[in-house]
Amino acid sequence: MTGTNSLNNLHIAIIGAGMGGLACALALKKHGFDRVEVYESASNLGFVGAGIQMAPNMARILDRLGCWNNIAKEATNIKSTSIRQGNTNKELAFVELADIQDNYGYPHMVGHRSSLAGNIYEGCRREKVAFFFSTTVESITTFGPKPSFVARPRRGDAYTVEADIVLAADGIKSNCRVSMLKELNADANVEDTGQSAYRIMLKREQMENDPELKELIDSDRVTRWIGEKRHIIAYPVSNKNIYNISTAHPDTHFAEAPSATYTTRGSKSDMFHTYSSFGELCHRMLDLVPEGEVCEWKLRVHAPLPTWVHGSVALVGDACHPTLPHLNQGAGQAIEDAGVLAVVLSKLPDRSPQSINKALQVYERVRKERAELLVGLAAASGKALQLGEGAAKEERDRQFAALKGNKGPVPDKWADGDTQKMIFGHDCMKVAEESFDEIFKSLTQDARL
């Protein structure tokens, strides 16, 4: 740490124990902050069993935090991606990814969400982060000079928490974002994307008696089946003992639901109807899902926020930049937030609220434009994958065909070389280190402090 007046005992309260909140806690501890607390409404981590893609920009940060090796042991190193027509299984494009590690220092891996979260959490426990589970934070009471909020445990009386810094990592349904925007007389409503998703985990024993399905779970490959207004993406996780399947398709079950509703129990017949235009291979996969275990997620985002920072409070992850899953960067961008926050707070010249606010503004300057760019790219990539018949689809398929001669861009931006360079090659913590002094000096403090 660069400053004086014992920065290490700054009281930092984190709201939410998702990927962003956990990574913030671990990164801050690793940067020398002793008093780090996490408040989480759930009774435990309780991550829904689902796969997650882990690109080099995420791995680079987690390696610095000391938890990447254990995560990588259980993950699959993705060597290629196959993009196929959903109705025929015809391969439109095959993109080699074997050089990702050589180019960016880390491989592109896929794993189980619980393994990623669990290993970050174990790192937090080793560093003695204080966790308060079963504790809800409904709003921020004050934003500075000493931010505060009311913590409401499931059992016991509510109490007020006053901290030096509050990091709100409470997800797309963030109460803290609502409090901040209300305080600033601003707004950023949750936007309906018109899409929802099934998330499915098939076990190896369900697939191993079908040679084509067994080949999928044995591979080091991400496979996408694409069709009009819908697609399926799948890959092996958990040492190839589980095949993770995620979809995106038009929403029919949430259209009349309250805005707070994000999940619903689905039916197998509805799922088959949604993907009736897809081919036999996809149908055999979906048929393995047990009746009663179909769950559907509503895909929502919100408009870009005017700011992520107010006083000594900053928003993190989905609370400020939720994204569609088509670029596979949701968790990665939350973890980038965490890495940058740890860097800028460790470089505080003193512990005054004015300096804290300016450091948090540096975080926003380093992260906001990039995160919002990737949110836009994810939406555009999803649209390209789900084109119906017509000139645009013909042009997309022509670009896919050109890849066989190693020519041109990849319409699936996740597999596009230039997009990968921009995402995977970016070292956000290094950018924060190198740009902190210049940005910090150029800022004025929040007039409300």
Side-chain angles (χ1 to χ4, degrees), residues 395-430:
E395 173 60 19
R396 182 203 68 190
D397 291 350
R398 186 196 66 75
Q399 291 180 5
F400 276 137
L403 293 174
K404 295 175 182 177
N406 295 316
K407 296 178 181 179
V410 184
D412 181 355
K413 290 306 175 187
W414 170 80
D416 178 70
D418 289 340
T419 305
Q420 289 175 350
K421 183 176 181 180
M422 183 264 289
I423 298 174
F424 301 168
H426 183 78
D427 187 339
C428 64
M429 296 177 74
K430 182 179 179 182

PDB file of all heavy atoms in Angstrom, residues 395-430:
ATOM      1  N   GLU A 395     -25.020 -14.018 -45.635  1.00  0.00           N
ATOM      2  CA  GLU A 395     -23.720 -13.373 -45.441  1.00  0.00           C
ATOM      3  C   GLU A 395     -23.001 -13.967 -44.235  1.00  0.00           C
ATOM      4  O   GLU A 395     -21.789 -14.211 -44.284  1.00  0.00           O
ATOM      5  CB  GLU A 395     -23.893 -11.863 -45.278  1.00  0.00           C
ATOM      6  CG  GLU A 395     -22.628 -11.099 -44.901  1.00  0.00           C
ATOM      7  CD  GLU A 395     -21.500 -11.231 -45.908  1.00  0.00           C
ATOM      8  OE1 GLU A 395     -21.740 -11.609 -47.074  1.00  0.00           O
ATOM      9  OE2 GLU A 395     -20.344 -10.965 -45.521  1.00  0.00           O
ATOM     10  N   ARG A 396     -23.736 -14.204 -43.161  1.00  0.00           N
ATOM     11  CA  ARG A 396     -23.118 -14.830 -41.991  1.00  0.00           C
ATOM     12  C   ARG A 396     -22.542 -16.197 -42.341  1.00  0.00           C
ATOM     13  O   ARG A 396     -21.396 -16.516 -41.981  1.00  0.00           O
ATOM     14  CB  ARG A 396     -24.152 -14.981 -40.866  1.00  0.00           C
ATOM     15  CG  ARG A 396     -23.597 -15.582 -39.586  1.00  0.00           C
ATOM     16  CD  ARG A 396     -24.689 -16.206 -38.743  1.00  0.00           C
ATOM     17  NE  ARG A 396     -25.246 -17.395 -39.372  1.00  0.00           N
ATOM     18  CZ  ARG A 396     -26.333 -18.034 -38.952  1.00  0.00           C
ATOM     19  NH1 ARG A 396     -27.001 -17.569 -37.909  1.00  0.00           N
ATOM     20  NH2 ARG A 396     -26.765 -19.117 -39.576  1.00  0.00           N
ATOM     21  N   ASP A 397     -23.307 -17.008 -43.046  1.00  0.00           N
ATOM     22  CA  ASP A 397     -22.848 -18.349 -43.387  1.00  0.00           C
ATOM     23  C   ASP A 397     -21.684 -18.304 -44.378  1.00  0.00           C
ATOM     24  O   ASP A 397     -20.813 -19.179 -44.365  1.00  0.00           O
ATOM     25  CB  ASP A 397     -24.010 -19.180 -43.933  1.00  0.00           C
ATOM     26  CG  ASP A 397     -25.047 -19.511 -42.864  1.00  0.00           C
ATOM     27  OD1 ASP A 397     -24.771 -19.251 -41.671  1.00  0.00           O
ATOM     28  OD2 ASP A 397     -26.129 -20.008 -43.214  1.00  0.00           O
ATOM     29  N   ARG A 398     -21.666 -17.276 -45.228  1.00  0.00           N
ATOM     30  CA  ARG A 398     -20.515 -17.103 -46.116  1.00  0.00           C
ATOM     31  C   ARG A 398     -19.256 -16.817 -45.308  1.00  0.00           C
ATOM     32  O   ARG A 398     -18.172 -17.349 -45.600  1.00  0.00           O
ATOM     33  CB  ARG A 398     -20.783 -15.950 -47.093  1.00  0.00           C
ATOM     34  CG  ARG A 398     -19.681 -15.790 -48.155  1.00  0.00           C
ATOM     35  CD  ARG A 398     -19.776 -14.442 -48.845  1.00  0.00           C
ATOM     36  NE  ARG A 398     -19.508 -13.341 -47.931  1.00  0.00           N
ATOM     37  CZ  ARG A 398     -18.295 -13.013 -47.479  1.00  0.00           C
ATOM     38  NH1 ARG A 398     -17.230 -13.721 -47.831  1.00  0.00           N
ATOM     39  NH2 ARG A 398     -18.148 -12.000 -46.659  1.00  0.00           N
ATOM     40  N   GLN A 399     -19.387 -16.015 -44.255  1.00  0.00           N
ATOM     41  CA  GLN A 399     -18.239 -15.728 -43.395  1.00  0.00           C
ATOM     42  C   GLN A 399     -17.793 -16.990 -42.664  1.00  0.00           C
ATOM     43  O   GLN A 399     -16.589 -17.243 -42.515  1.00  0.00           O
ATOM     44  CB  GLN A 399     -18.594 -14.624 -42.403  1.00  0.00           C
ATOM     45  CG  GLN A 399     -18.776 -13.254 -43.036  1.00  0.00           C
ATOM     46  CD  GLN A 399     -19.127 -12.180 -42.023  1.00  0.00           C
ATOM     47  OE1 GLN A 399     -19.152 -12.418 -40.815  1.00  0.00           O
ATOM     48  NE2 GLN A 399     -19.402 -10.981 -42.511  1.00  0.00           N
ATOM     49  N   PHE A 400     -18.759 -17.781 -42.193  1.00  0.00           N
ATOM     50  CA  PHE A 400     -18.384 -19.048 -41.557  1.00  0.00           C
ATOM     51  C   PHE A 400     -17.627 -19.941 -42.535  1.00  0.00           C
ATOM     52  O   PHE A 400     -16.607 -20.542 -42.192  1.00  0.00           O
ATOM     53  CB  PHE A 400     -19.631 -19.778 -41.054  1.00  0.00           C
ATOM     54  CG  PHE A 400     -20.114 -19.334 -39.698  1.00  0.00           C
ATOM     55  CD1 PHE A 400     -21.466 -19.130 -39.458  1.00  0.00           C
ATOM     56  CD2 PHE A 400     -19.237 -19.146 -38.644  1.00  0.00           C
ATOM     57  CE1 PHE A 400     -21.928 -18.736 -38.214  1.00  0.00           C
ATOM     58  CE2 PHE A 400     -19.679 -18.745 -37.389  1.00  0.00           C
ATOM     59  CZ  PHE A 400     -21.028 -18.540 -37.172  1.00  0.00           C
ATOM     60  N   ALA A 401     -18.107 -20.032 -43.775  1.00  0.00           N
ATOM     61  CA  ALA A 401     -17.471 -20.893 -44.778  1.00  0.00           C
ATOM     62  C   ALA A 401     -16.049 -20.433 -45.084  1.00  0.00           C
ATOM     63  O   ALA A 401     -15.147 -21.249 -45.309  1.00  0.00           O
ATOM     64  CB  ALA A 401     -18.312 -20.917 -46.052  1.00  0.00           C
ATOM     65  N   ALA A 402     -15.839 -19.099 -45.078  1.00  0.00           N
ATOM     66  CA  ALA A 402     -14.516 -18.562 -45.366  1.00  0.00           C
ATOM     67  C   ALA A 402     -13.488 -18.956 -44.319  1.00  0.00           C
ATOM     68  O   ALA A 402     -12.277 -18.953 -44.587  1.00  0.00           O
ATOM     69  CB  ALA A 402     -14.590 -17.036 -45.488  1.00  0.00           C
ATOM     70  N   LEU A 403     -13.953 -19.313 -43.131  1.00  0.00           N
ATOM     71  CA  LEU A 403     -13.014 -19.694 -42.066  1.00  0.00           C
ATOM     72  C   LEU A 403     -12.237 -20.955 -42.419  1.00  0.00           C
ATOM     73  O   LEU A 403     -11.144 -21.188 -41.902  1.00  0.00           O
ATOM     74  CB  LEU A 403     -13.765 -19.907 -40.755  1.00  0.00           C
ATOM     75  CG  LEU A 403     -14.398 -18.665 -40.136  1.00  0.00           C
ATOM     76  CD1 LEU A 403     -15.223 -19.028 -38.920  1.00  0.00           C
ATOM     77  CD2 LEU A 403     -13.329 -17.653 -39.767  1.00  0.00           C
ATOM     78  N   LYS A 404     -12.808 -21.788 -43.287  1.00  0.00           N
ATOM     79  CA  LYS A 404     -12.095 -23.006 -43.685  1.00  0.00           C
ATOM     80  C   LYS A 404     -10.819 -22.682 -44.437  1.00  0.00           C
ATOM     81  O   LYS A 404      -9.909 -23.498 -44.516  1.00  0.00           O
ATOM     82  CB  LYS A 404     -13.023 -23.888 -44.519  1.00  0.00           C
ATOM     83  CG  LYS A 404     -14.216 -24.401 -43.715  1.00  0.00           C
ATOM     84  CD  LYS A 404     -15.198 -25.176 -44.561  1.00  0.00           C
ATOM     85  CE  LYS A 404     -16.394 -25.628 -43.711  1.00  0.00           C
ATOM     86  NZ  LYS A 404     -17.414 -26.340 -44.504  1.00  0.00           N
ATOM     87  N   GLY A 405     -10.750 -21.466 -44.980  1.00  0.00           N
ATOM     88  CA  GLY A 405      -9.525 -20.995 -45.607  1.00  0.00           C
ATOM     89  C   GLY A 405      -8.790 -19.983 -44.757  1.00  0.00           C
ATOM     90  O   GLY A 405      -7.932 -19.254 -45.244  1.00  0.00           O
ATOM     91  N   ASN A 406      -9.165 -19.943 -43.463  1.00  0.00           N
ATOM     92  CA  ASN A 406      -8.550 -19.014 -42.504  1.00  0.00           C
ATOM     93  C   ASN A 406      -8.683 -17.563 -42.956  1.00  0.00           C
ATOM     94  O   ASN A 406      -7.752 -16.759 -42.837  1.00  0.00           O
ATOM     95  CB  ASN A 406      -7.076 -19.359 -42.276  1.00  0.00           C
ATOM     96  CG  ASN A 406      -6.906 -20.704 -41.616  1.00  0.00           C
ATOM     97  OD1 ASN A 406      -7.608 -21.036 -40.670  1.00  0.00           O
ATOM     98  ND2 ASN A 406      -5.975 -21.504 -42.134  1.00  0.00           N
ATOM     99  N   LYS A 407      -9.861 -17.226 -43.504  1.00  0.00           N
ATOM    100  CA  LYS A 407     -10.073 -15.882 -44.011  1.00  0.00           C
ATOM    101  C   LYS A 407     -11.238 -15.214 -43.294  1.00  0.00           C
ATOM    102  O   LYS A 407     -12.279 -15.830 -43.093  1.00  0.00           O
ATOM    103  CB  LYS A 407     -10.370 -15.930 -45.517  1.00  0.00           C
ATOM    104  CG  LYS A 407      -9.222 -16.467 -46.365  1.00  0.00           C
ATOM    105  CD  LYS A 407      -9.625 -16.534 -47.822  1.00  0.00           C
ATOM    106  CE  LYS A 407      -8.497 -17.090 -48.685  1.00  0.00           C
ATOM    107  NZ  LYS A 407      -8.898 -17.190 -50.111  1.00  0.00           N
ATOM    108  N   GLY A 408     -11.044 -13.940 -42.955  1.00  0.00           N
ATOM    109  CA  GLY A 408     -12.145 -13.122 -42.496  1.00  0.00           C
ATOM    110  C   GLY A 408     -12.502 -13.276 -41.031  1.00  0.00           C
ATOM    111  O   GLY A 408     -11.958 -14.101 -40.303  1.00  0.00           O
ATOM    112  N   PRO A 409     -13.463 -12.446 -40.582  1.00  0.00           N
ATOM    113  CA  PRO A 409     -13.904 -12.449 -39.192  1.00  0.00           C
ATOM    114  C   PRO A 409     -14.830 -13.631 -38.899  1.00  0.00           C
ATOM    115  O   PRO A 409     -15.402 -14.225 -39.808  1.00  0.00           O
ATOM    116  CB  PRO A 409     -14.656 -11.126 -39.059  1.00  0.00           C
ATOM    117  CG  PRO A 409     -15.205 -10.892 -40.443  1.00  0.00           C
ATOM    118  CD  PRO A 409     -14.166 -11.424 -41.386  1.00  0.00           C
ATOM    119  N   VAL A 410     -14.996 -13.930 -37.614  1.00  0.00           N
ATOM    120  CA  VAL A 410     -15.902 -14.986 -37.182  1.00  0.00           C
ATOM    121  C   VAL A 410     -17.192 -14.332 -36.700  1.00  0.00           C
ATOM    122  O   VAL A 410     -17.163 -13.515 -35.776  1.00  0.00           O
ATOM    123  CB  VAL A 410     -15.279 -15.820 -36.042  1.00  0.00           C
ATOM    124  CG1 VAL A 410     -16.201 -16.985 -35.674  1.00  0.00           C
ATOM    125  CG2 VAL A 410     -13.909 -16.349 -36.446  1.00  0.00           C
ATOM    126  N   PRO A 411     -18.349 -14.664 -37.288  1.00  0.00           N
ATOM    127  CA  PRO A 411     -19.599 -14.050 -36.825  1.00  0.00           C
ATOM    128  C   PRO A 411     -19.892 -14.325 -35.353  1.00  0.00           C
ATOM    129  O   PRO A 411     -20.507 -13.502 -34.681  1.00  0.00           O
ATOM    130  CB  PRO A 411     -20.651 -14.692 -37.732  1.00  0.00           C
ATOM    131  CG  PRO A 411     -19.906 -15.098 -38.964  1.00  0.00           C
ATOM    132  CD  PRO A 411     -18.542 -15.510 -38.475  1.00  0.00           C
ATOM    133  N   ASP A 412     -19.467 -15.489 -34.855  1.00  0.00           N
ATOM    134  CA  ASP A 412     -19.569 -15.789 -33.427  1.00  0.00           C
ATOM    135  C   ASP A 412     -18.400 -15.099 -32.747  1.00  0.00           C
ATOM    136  O   ASP A 412     -17.264 -15.585 -32.758  1.00  0.00           O
ATOM    137  CB  ASP A 412     -19.518 -17.301 -33.211  1.00  0.00           C
ATOM    138  CG  ASP A 412     -19.644 -17.694 -31.749  1.00  0.00           C
ATOM    139  OD1 ASP A 412     -19.671 -16.803 -30.883  1.00  0.00           O
ATOM    140  OD2 ASP A 412     -19.719 -18.906 -31.470  1.00  0.00           O
ATOM    141  N   LYS A 413     -18.639 -13.918 -32.183  1.00  0.00           N
ATOM    142  CA  LYS A 413     -17.553 -13.069 -31.707  1.00  0.00           C
ATOM    143  C   LYS A 413     -16.711 -13.717 -30.614  1.00  0.00           C
ATOM    144  O   LYS A 413     -15.536 -13.393 -30.459  1.00  0.00           O
ATOM    145  CB  LYS A 413     -18.115 -11.725 -31.220  1.00  0.00           C
ATOM    146  CG  LYS A 413     -18.647 -10.852 -32.352  1.00  0.00           C
ATOM    147  CD  LYS A 413     -17.584 -10.649 -33.423  1.00  0.00           C
ATOM    148  CE  LYS A 413     -18.099  -9.896 -34.621  1.00  0.00           C
ATOM    149  NZ  LYS A 413     -17.101  -9.868 -35.718  1.00  0.00           N
ATOM    150  N   TRP A 414     -17.291 -14.653 -29.856  1.00  0.00           N
ATOM    151  CA  TRP A 414     -16.507 -15.348 -28.826  1.00  0.00           C
ATOM    152  C   TRP A 414     -15.310 -16.069 -29.452  1.00  0.00           C
ATOM    153  O   TRP A 414     -14.253 -16.183 -28.840  1.00  0.00           O
ATOM    154  CB  TRP A 414     -17.408 -16.356 -28.103  1.00  0.00           C
ATOM    155  CG  TRP A 414     -16.657 -17.285 -27.211  1.00  0.00           C
ATOM    156  CD1 TRP A 414     -16.199 -17.027 -25.951  1.00  0.00           C
ATOM    157  CD2 TRP A 414     -16.270 -18.627 -27.510  1.00  0.00           C
ATOM    158  NE1 TRP A 414     -15.540 -18.131 -25.444  1.00  0.00           N
ATOM    159  CE2 TRP A 414     -15.575 -19.119 -26.390  1.00  0.00           C
ATOM    160  CE3 TRP A 414     -16.439 -19.459 -28.616  1.00  0.00           C
ATOM    161  CZ2 TRP A 414     -15.054 -20.414 -26.334  1.00  0.00           C
ATOM    162  CZ3 TRP A 414     -15.928 -20.744 -28.575  1.00  0.00           C
ATOM    163  CH2 TRP A 414     -15.243 -21.210 -27.438  1.00  0.00           C
ATOM    164  N   ALA A 415     -15.452 -16.554 -30.704  1.00  0.00           N
ATOM    165  CA  ALA A 415     -14.393 -17.317 -31.364  1.00  0.00           C
ATOM    166  C   ALA A 415     -13.578 -16.481 -32.341  1.00  0.00           C
ATOM    167  O   ALA A 415     -12.675 -17.001 -32.994  1.00  0.00           O
ATOM    168  CB  ALA A 415     -15.010 -18.515 -32.095  1.00  0.00           C
ATOM    169  N   ASP A 416     -13.861 -15.196 -32.453  1.00  0.00           N
ATOM    170  CA  ASP A 416     -13.175 -14.323 -33.397  1.00  0.00           C
ATOM    171  C   ASP A 416     -11.821 -13.886 -32.843  1.00  0.00           C
ATOM    172  O   ASP A 416     -11.715 -13.423 -31.698  1.00  0.00           O
ATOM    173  CB  ASP A 416     -14.048 -13.093 -33.669  1.00  0.00           C
ATOM    174  CG  ASP A 416     -13.375 -12.121 -34.613  1.00  0.00           C
ATOM    175  OD1 ASP A 416     -13.242 -12.452 -35.798  1.00  0.00           O
ATOM    176  OD2 ASP A 416     -12.977 -11.032 -34.140  1.00  0.00           O
ATOM    177  N   GLY A 417     -10.764 -14.007 -33.668  1.00  0.00           N
ATOM    178  CA  GLY A 417      -9.410 -13.724 -33.204  1.00  0.00           C
ATOM    179  C   GLY A 417      -9.205 -12.303 -32.720  1.00  0.00           C
ATOM    180  O   GLY A 417      -8.573 -12.070 -31.680  1.00  0.00           O
ATOM    181  N   ASP A 418      -9.733 -11.323 -33.456  1.00  0.00           N
ATOM    182  CA  ASP A 418      -9.560  -9.925 -33.045  1.00  0.00           C
ATOM    183  C   ASP A 418     -10.298  -9.638 -31.739  1.00  0.00           C
ATOM    184  O   ASP A 418      -9.798  -8.897 -30.874  1.00  0.00           O
ATOM    185  CB  ASP A 418     -10.055  -8.987 -34.144  1.00  0.00           C
ATOM    186  CG  ASP A 418      -9.144  -8.980 -35.360  1.00  0.00           C
ATOM    187  OD1 ASP A 418      -7.976  -9.374 -35.228  1.00  0.00           O
ATOM    188  OD2 ASP A 418      -9.622  -8.595 -36.449  1.00  0.00           O
ATOM    189  N   THR A 419     -11.500 -10.212 -31.602  1.00  0.00           N
ATOM    190  CA  THR A 419     -12.254 -10.025 -30.361  1.00  0.00           C
ATOM    191  C   THR A 419     -11.540 -10.703 -29.196  1.00  0.00           C
ATOM    192  O   THR A 419     -11.462 -10.146 -28.088  1.00  0.00           O
ATOM    193  CB  THR A 419     -13.678 -10.577 -30.511  1.00  0.00           C
ATOM    194  OG1 THR A 419     -14.298  -9.963 -31.643  1.00  0.00           O
ATOM    195  CG2 THR A 419     -14.506 -10.287 -29.264  1.00  0.00           C
ATOM    196  N   GLN A 420     -11.007 -11.889 -29.431  1.00  0.00           N
ATOM    197  CA  GLN A 420     -10.247 -12.580 -28.384  1.00  0.00           C
ATOM    198  C   GLN A 420      -9.047 -11.755 -27.932  1.00  0.00           C
ATOM    199  O   GLN A 420      -8.767 -11.650 -26.730  1.00  0.00           O
ATOM    200  CB  GLN A 420      -9.780 -13.947 -28.885  1.00  0.00           C
ATOM    201  CG  GLN A 420     -10.887 -14.962 -29.034  1.00  0.00           C
ATOM    202  CD  GLN A 420     -10.385 -16.258 -29.634  1.00  0.00           C
ATOM    203  OE1 GLN A 420      -9.254 -16.350 -30.114  1.00  0.00           O
ATOM    204  NE2 GLN A 420     -11.233 -17.281 -29.614  1.00  0.00           N
ATOM    205  N   LYS A 421      -8.353 -11.153 -28.884  1.00  0.00           N
ATOM    206  CA  LYS A 421      -7.187 -10.336 -28.522  1.00  0.00           C
ATOM    207  C   LYS A 421      -7.602  -9.183 -27.624  1.00  0.00           C
ATOM    208  O   LYS A 421      -6.928  -8.870 -26.634  1.00  0.00           O
ATOM    209  CB  LYS A 421      -6.515  -9.810 -29.793  1.00  0.00           C
ATOM    210  CG  LYS A 421      -5.240  -9.014 -29.536  1.00  0.00           C
ATOM    211  CD  LYS A 421      -4.581  -8.612 -30.850  1.00  0.00           C
ATOM    212  CE  LYS A 421      -3.290  -7.824 -30.592  1.00  0.00           C
ATOM    213  NZ  LYS A 421      -2.638  -7.426 -31.872  1.00  0.00           N
ATOM    214  N   MET A 422      -8.717  -8.542 -27.958  1.00  0.00           N
ATOM    215  CA  MET A 422      -9.203  -7.411 -27.172  1.00  0.00           C
ATOM    216  C   MET A 422      -9.655  -7.843 -25.775  1.00  0.00           C
ATOM    217  O   MET A 422      -9.408  -7.140 -24.784  1.00  0.00           O
ATOM    218  CB  MET A 422     -10.353  -6.728 -27.918  1.00  0.00           C
ATOM    219  CG  MET A 422     -10.898  -5.491 -27.240  1.00  0.00           C
ATOM    220  SD  MET A 422     -12.354  -5.860 -26.230  1.00  0.00           S
ATOM    221  CE  MET A 422     -13.565  -6.200 -27.495  1.00  0.00           C
ATOM    222  N   ILE A 423     -10.269  -9.025 -25.663  1.00  0.00           N
ATOM    223  CA  ILE A 423     -10.772  -9.479 -24.371  1.00  0.00           C
ATOM    224  C   ILE A 423      -9.692 -10.220 -23.597  1.00  0.00           C
ATOM    225  O   ILE A 423      -9.358  -9.869 -22.461  1.00  0.00           O
ATOM    226  CB  ILE A 423     -12.001 -10.387 -24.554  1.00  0.00           C
ATOM    227  CG1 ILE A 423     -13.146  -9.627 -25.224  1.00  0.00           C
ATOM    228  CG2 ILE A 423     -12.472 -10.918 -23.197  1.00  0.00           C
ATOM    229  CD1 ILE A 423     -14.339 -10.493 -25.570  1.00  0.00           C
ATOM    230  N   PHE A 424      -9.123 -11.257 -24.192  1.00  0.00           N
ATOM    231  CA  PHE A 424      -8.199 -12.137 -23.474  1.00  0.00           C
ATOM    232  C   PHE A 424      -6.862 -11.472 -23.190  1.00  0.00           C
ATOM    233  O   PHE A 424      -6.219 -11.750 -22.179  1.00  0.00           O
ATOM    234  CB  PHE A 424      -7.942 -13.415 -24.279  1.00  0.00           C
ATOM    235  CG  PHE A 424      -9.163 -14.243 -24.590  1.00  0.00           C
ATOM    236  CD1 PHE A 424      -9.095 -15.272 -25.517  1.00  0.00           C
ATOM    237  CD2 PHE A 424     -10.384 -13.998 -23.980  1.00  0.00           C
ATOM    238  CE1 PHE A 424     -10.201 -16.048 -25.811  1.00  0.00           C
ATOM    239  CE2 PHE A 424     -11.510 -14.760 -24.269  1.00  0.00           C
ATOM    240  CZ  PHE A 424     -11.414 -15.787 -25.197  1.00  0.00           C
ATOM    241  N   GLY A 425      -6.429 -10.595 -24.095  1.00  0.00           N
ATOM    242  CA  GLY A 425      -5.108  -9.981 -23.929  1.00  0.00           C
ATOM    243  C   GLY A 425      -5.082  -8.800 -22.982  1.00  0.00           C
ATOM    244  O   GLY A 425      -4.005  -8.265 -22.683  1.00  0.00           O
ATOM    245  N   HIS A 426      -6.238  -8.397 -22.491  1.00  0.00           N
ATOM    246  CA  HIS A 426      -6.323  -7.208 -21.640  1.00  0.00           C
ATOM    247  C   HIS A 426      -5.976  -7.564 -20.198  1.00  0.00           C
ATOM    248  O   HIS A 426      -6.552  -8.484 -19.611  1.00  0.00           O
ATOM    249  CB  HIS A 426      -7.749  -6.653 -21.694  1.00  0.00           C
ATOM    250  CG  HIS A 426      -7.943  -5.393 -20.929  1.00  0.00           C
ATOM    251  ND1 HIS A 426      -7.546  -4.160 -21.386  1.00  0.00           N
ATOM    252  CD2 HIS A 426      -8.509  -5.165 -19.712  1.00  0.00           C
ATOM    253  CE1 HIS A 426      -7.854  -3.235 -20.505  1.00  0.00           C
ATOM    254  NE2 HIS A 426      -8.438  -3.807 -19.476  1.00  0.00           N
ATOM    255  N   ASP A 427      -5.025  -6.839 -19.632  1.00  0.00           N
ATOM    256  CA  ASP A 427      -4.643  -7.015 -18.227  1.00  0.00           C
ATOM    257  C   ASP A 427      -5.154  -5.802 -17.447  1.00  0.00           C
ATOM    258  O   ASP A 427      -4.482  -4.780 -17.344  1.00  0.00           O
ATOM    259  CB  ASP A 427      -3.129  -7.141 -18.096  1.00  0.00           C
ATOM    260  CG  ASP A 427      -2.673  -7.505 -16.685  1.00  0.00           C
ATOM    261  OD1 ASP A 427      -3.443  -7.278 -15.732  1.00  0.00           O
ATOM    262  OD2 ASP A 427      -1.542  -8.005 -16.545  1.00  0.00           O
ATOM    263  N   CYS A 428      -6.361  -5.931 -16.901  1.00  0.00           N
ATOM    264  CA  CYS A 428      -7.013  -4.779 -16.271  1.00  0.00           C
ATOM    265  C   CYS A 428      -6.260  -4.298 -15.035  1.00  0.00           C
ATOM    266  O   CYS A 428      -6.239  -3.086 -14.754  1.00  0.00           O
ATOM    267  CB  CYS A 428      -8.458  -5.135 -15.914  1.00  0.00           C
ATOM    268  SG  CYS A 428      -8.627  -6.449 -14.682  1.00  0.00           S
ATOM    269  N   MET A 429      -5.653  -5.219 -14.291  1.00  0.00           N
ATOM    270  CA  MET A 429      -4.921  -4.802 -13.094  1.00  0.00           C
ATOM    271  C   MET A 429      -3.670  -4.016 -13.462  1.00  0.00           C
ATOM    272  O   MET A 429      -3.334  -3.016 -12.805  1.00  0.00           O
ATOM    273  CB  MET A 429      -4.588  -6.027 -12.239  1.00  0.00           C
ATOM    274  CG  MET A 429      -5.817  -6.732 -11.687  1.00  0.00           C
ATOM    275  SD  MET A 429      -5.442  -8.238 -10.734  1.00  0.00           S
ATOM    276  CE  MET A 429      -4.776  -7.523  -9.218  1.00  0.00           C
ATOM    277  N   LYS A 430      -3.011  -4.424 -14.524  1.00  0.00           N
ATOM    278  CA  LYS A 430      -1.836  -3.681 -14.995  1.00  0.00           C
ATOM    279  C   LYS A 430      -2.246  -2.297 -15.477  1.00  0.00           C
ATOM    280  O   LYS A 430      -1.566  -1.293 -15.186  1.00  0.00           O
ATOM    281  CB  LYS A 430      -1.157  -4.454 -16.122  1.00  0.00           C
ATOM    282  CG  LYS A 430       0.112  -3.793 -16.646  1.00  0.00           C
ATOM    283  CD  LYS A 430       0.748  -4.641 -17.744  1.00  0.00           C
ATOM    284  CE  LYS A 430       2.014  -3.973 -18.287  1.00  0.00           C
ATOM    285  NZ  LYS A 430       2.618  -4.762 -19.388  1.00  0.00           N
TER     286      LYS A 430
END
